[in-house]
Amino acid sequence: NAGVTQTPKFQVLKTGQSMTLQCAQDMNHEYMSWYRQDPGMGLRLIHYSVGAGITDQGEVPNGYNVSRSTTEDFPLRLLSAAPSQTSVYFCASSPDRMNTEAFFGQGTRLTVV
Amino acid sequence: SQQGEEDPQALSIQEGENATMNCSYKTSINNLQWYRQNSGRGLVHLILIRSNEREKHSGRLRVTLDTSKKSSSLLITASRAADTASYFCAYRSGGYQKVTFGTGTKLQVIP
C-alpha cells in the first residue's frame, strides 16, 4: 500500500513549456485534490475531484488543467509554464470529502525559468 | 480569500515547554483538522474536531474549537525536538467540497 504517489519529485521547466504532474493513489479514495504551496501563503487549492469523471476548480485554477478518468489517477497539466508557477505542488486524497483526513503525497518542486 | 489565518507565524520554544498555535477562519465549518509538515515533506494528519465538539485530545495534542469566535487552537504539551515542523489548520465548510488551509505556524523546539 503506497498511499499517494507523486512524480516527478523535482522539475525545471522553461517558460512556455508544458508538462504533466502525476498523482496516483491506491486507497480507492473518491476525493482527490491538488494544492500549491508558496512561502507565507500556506496551501492553496488548484483543482479537485469528487470522483472519476468529475472535476472542479479551486482557488487558483488559472494555467492548470486536470482530468480524472480513473479513481486512482489525477494528473495536473501545466499548459504553458510561467515563472509565477514556480512552487511546490501537493496532491491529496481522502475517502470522503466531508469528515475524514486527507493523505498527501511528498510533493513536486517545480521551477520555471 | 477564504484562507484561514494562523498565529503566530513562527514560534521558538525550549524542549519540555508547551506550544500553542491558533487558527481563525471566516466561514461556518463542518470540521477542522490540524496537519504537521516536516521540512520538505508532505502534510501528515494530526487530529480532527467536529463543529459540535469543543475540545479533543490525542496523546500530547489538545485541540479546542470555538465556533462563535470562528477560531481553533492546537496545544502541544511537553514539546520535543522532533515536534519541530510547520503546523496547518484546515477546514471544510457547509456543503462546500473544498478544503481550505491556514497559512501555517512554523514551530522550532530547541533541545
Side-chain angles (χ1 to χ4, degrees):
Chain A
N1 190 333
V4 179
T5 303
Q6 287 184 239
T7 56
K9 288 187 169 54
F10 302 93
Q11 183 69 49
V12 178
L13 288 179
K14 293 183 179 179
T15 297
Q17 286 185 316
S18 62
M19 80 158 294
T20 299
L21 278 63
Q22 301 292 344
C23 176
Q25 51 92 7
D26 60 1
M27 297 172 283
N28 201 32
H29 287 172
E30 290 297 322
Y31 187 92
M32 296 185 73
S33 51
W34 276 102
Y35 293 87
R36 60 177 288 172
Q37 184 177 31
D38 303 294
M41 300 290 291
L43 278 79
R44 292 183 292 169
L45 181 64
I46 304 172
H47 285 284
Y48 66 97
S49 169
V50 299
I54 306 169
T55 64
D56 206 346
Q57 296 181 349
E59 183 183 356
V60 288
N62 292 341
Y64 308 95
N65 271 357
V66 292
S67 60
R68 185 96 180 268
S69 56
T70 66
T71 298
E72 294 78 21
D73 299 301
F74 191 43
L76 178 72
R77 296 183 187 84
L78 279 71
L79 308 173
S80 177
S84 61
Q85 293 179 305
T86 294
S87 188
V88 181
Y89 291 84
F90 288 99
C91 178
S93 75
S94 60
D96 183 290
R97 60 182 179 269
M98 296 304 291
N99 284 325
T100 53
E101 67 177 281
F103 294 81
F104 281 80
Q106 291 302 300
T108 295
R109 186 174 294 273
L110 176 68
T111 302
V112 183
V113 298
Chain B
S1 169
Q2 296 297 313
Q3 196 167 29
E5 297 290 328
E6 292 185 57
D7 76 271
Q9 289 187 342
L11 180 61
S12 183
I13 59 174
Q14 297 289 330
E15 200 166 32
E17 293 180 338
N18 295 342
T20 300
M21 49 208 88
N22 304 294
C23 169
S24 60
Y25 54 91
K26 299 177 182 177
T27 65
S28 60
I29 62 171
N30 294 318
N31 65 66
L32 188 139
Q33 303 177 41
W34 285 90
Y35 288 81
R36 183 186 72 224
Q37 183 183 35
N38 291 92
S39 181
R41 309 295 297 274
L43 280 73
V44 175
H45 182 263
L46 294 176
I47 194 167
L48 179 152
I49 185 167
R50 292 185 168 78
S51 59
N52 61 354
E53 297 176 314
R54 292 296 169 260
E55 188 171 311
K56 199 162 184 180
H57 296 255
S58 176
R60 293 184 296 113
L61 306 179
R62 172 178 169 253
V63 169
T64 61
L65 179 65
D66 187 335
T67 53
S68 66
K69 295 182 179 178
K70 291 187 168 56
S71 68
S72 175
S73 67
L74 171 68
L75 168 68
I76 304 174
T77 60
S79 64
R80 305 167 182 168
D83 294 328
T84 294
S86 291
Y87 292 82
F88 295 88
C89 65
Y91 51 90
R92 305 176 195 272
S93 54
Y96 213 40
Q97 297 178 12
K98 305 175 187 178
V99 174
T100 302
F101 279 81
T103 50
T105 293
K106 192 168 186 177
L107 173 66
Q108 181 185 26
V109 181
I110 302 168

